[in-house]
Amino acid sequence: MTIYLLPADKTRKPGDLNDPSQDEGELAERDLNPPCVLVFNASDPSGAGGLGADALAMASVGAHVLPVVTGAYARDTAEIFDHFPFDEEAIAEQARAILEDVEVQLIKVGFAGTPEALSTIAETAADYPEVPVVAYMPNLSWWDENLIEPYLDAFRELVLPQTTVLVGNHSTLWRWLLPDWNGERPPGARDIAKAAGEFGVPYTLVTGMVLPEQFIDNVLASPQSVLANEKYERLEAVFAGAGDTLSAALAALLASGTDLVAATTEALAYMDRCLDAGFRPGMGHVLPDRLFWAEPEDDEDDEDPDAAPDFALPPHDTRH
């Protein structure tokens, strides 16, 4: 199936993510509206990941989400039971309709569900070559083994050549991109970035690299070098949705014009705060609190118990 999408009349060129444009006229125009991010992802009824997570995380850092539903999970806060994919034509029509109306600053790819959906997404990205793409590869161990391999093959061959920044957990990316690794030590972030670079990916953010003394490293690398890394102490909880939170925040920050290294640092700090404020809404895992900044400060001693409740929204000081 061939899909034709009409590019917007004023498509913004992303330029080098490490040296964003500082044209005063462009910046002034963009300041009038939040940047728009086209997101391909599944619906997640638990709120752990999927489009709901993308919307909350991106809004928290000042971006507007244009959500394209690729399917729906059947899951709770503990595990994913199944996934029901959308037909690729339904995905294409969603994207076509909004792209003919709204200028997007970035495209984010989450879980698409089928190789056919990935083909549709790749064709969409190819029609907008000046728009950067952030692609997130989640852990697919919950899925049918017969479906995982063709999906990973399609993602590698179709989506990675369109991808600007690939995001994923160390073990997930290692087993996908370096399945025959036989080194005495696990592959480093640059090893994984080199493997992704063979398919055209210029930058890879590798998360969850285990360090001694209960620390976790997160490394942004290109095939040539390590660009940045942030180390955090491991939290004593099992989380669902950390990767979705990080990739969404990174996408929103890049769409707002933040350079790649600074956006990576800010997105990691945001994810860490979300996890630190995490909550358990059900009987399963802890979910990131993506609106931690909106929680009122603990000043119960000063509150009047007879006062009427104040439903005013807090100042949005996390906008970038």
Side-chain angles (χ1 to χ4, degrees):
M1 178 182 66
T2 302
I3 302 161
Y4 299 97
L5 297 174
L6 300 177
D9 292 336
K10 296 182 180 180
T11 303
R12 181 182 68 88
K13 294 185 178 181
D16 186 349
L17 292 178
N18 290 308
D19 185 22
S21 171
Q22 295 299 312
D23 180 79
E24 292 183 1
E26 179 185 352
L27 291 176
E29 181 179 354
R30 288 174 55 200
D31 281 344
L32 297 176
N33 297 310
C36 294
V37 180
L38 183 71
V39 180
F40 295 92
N41 210 343
S43 174
D44 180 349
S46 76
L51 287 172
D54 287 325
L56 282 176
M58 290 187 185
S60 291
V61 294
H64 176 64
V65 176
L66 306 173
V68 174
V69 186
T70 60
Y73 292 108
R75 69 161 300 170
D76 58 19
T77 58
E79 61 181 309
I80 300 173
F81 302 106
D82 206 346
H83 175 266
F84 305 97
F86 266 27
D87 181 271
E88 62 269 23
E89 292 187 6
I91 296 172
E93 282 300 303
Q94 291 178 78
R96 180 199 60 78
I98 195 62
L99 284 168
E100 289 183 353
D101 177 48
V102 178
E103 177 187 356
V104 300
Q105 277 71 52
L106 188 139
I107 296 171
K108 190 221 168 186
V109 182
F111 185 59
T114 65
E116 292 77 15
L118 290 174
S119 177
T120 296
I121 293 169
E123 290 184 43
T124 302
D127 284 340
Y128 291 79
E130 299 299 335
V131 177
V133 175
V134 172
Y136 170 57
M137 176 54 68
N139 182 351
L140 300 177
S141 61
W142 58 270
W143 209 15
D144 187 322
E145 291 184 1
N146 295 324
L147 299 175
I148 294 175
E149 185 173 352
Y151 183 85
L152 292 178
D153 289 344
F155 205 108
R156 181 170 50 242
E157 299 296 332
L158 300 174
V159 178
L160 288 189
Q162 312 292 336
T163 297
T164 312
V165 185
L166 173 65
V167 182
N169 182 271
H170 180 243
S171 62
T172 298
L173 296 182
W174 168 8
R175 287 165 175 76
W176 174 35
L177 298 175
L178 294 169
D180 300 323
W181 180 266
N182 55 9
E184 295 182 358
R185 58 169 181 80
R190 190 174 164 218
D191 297 314
I192 293 174
K194 283 182 178 179
E198 293 180 1
F199 297 92
V201 180
Y203 307 105
T204 302
L205 176 55
V206 184
T207 67
M209 301 184 69
V210 179
L211 297 176
E213 300 180 2
Q214 295 296 307
F215 280 91
I216 296 293
D217 203 9
N218 305 280
V219 183
L220 175 68
S222 71
Q224 294 76 33
S225 64
V226 170
L227 302 176
N229 74 294
E230 294 290 336
K231 181 175 69 172
Y232 293 97
E233 188 172 1
R234 185 199 298 267
L235 298 173
E236 295 299 328
V238 178
F239 291 92
D244 295 89
T245 303
L246 173 62
S247 55
L250 176 64
L253 288 163
L254 291 174
S256 72
T258 307
D259 74 80
L260 178 58
V261 172
T264 300
T265 300
E266 289 189 47
L268 286 166
Y270 171 77
M271 180 190 68
D272 186 61
R273 290 287 303 278
C274 291
L275 297 182
D276 189 53
F279 64 102
R280 182 178 281 109
M283 296 180 289
H285 302 319
V286 178
L287 307 190
D289 183 357
R290 301 172 181 98
L291 297 178
F292 66 85
W293 51 267
E295 294 296 328
E297 295 183 3
D298 188 8
D299 53 357
E300 295 180 358
D301 294 339
D302 299 330
E303 291 183 359
D304 180 357
D306 298 324
D310 180 10
F311 296 108
L313 292 175
H316 197 289
D317 58 3
T318 61
R319 172 74 183 274
H320 294 267

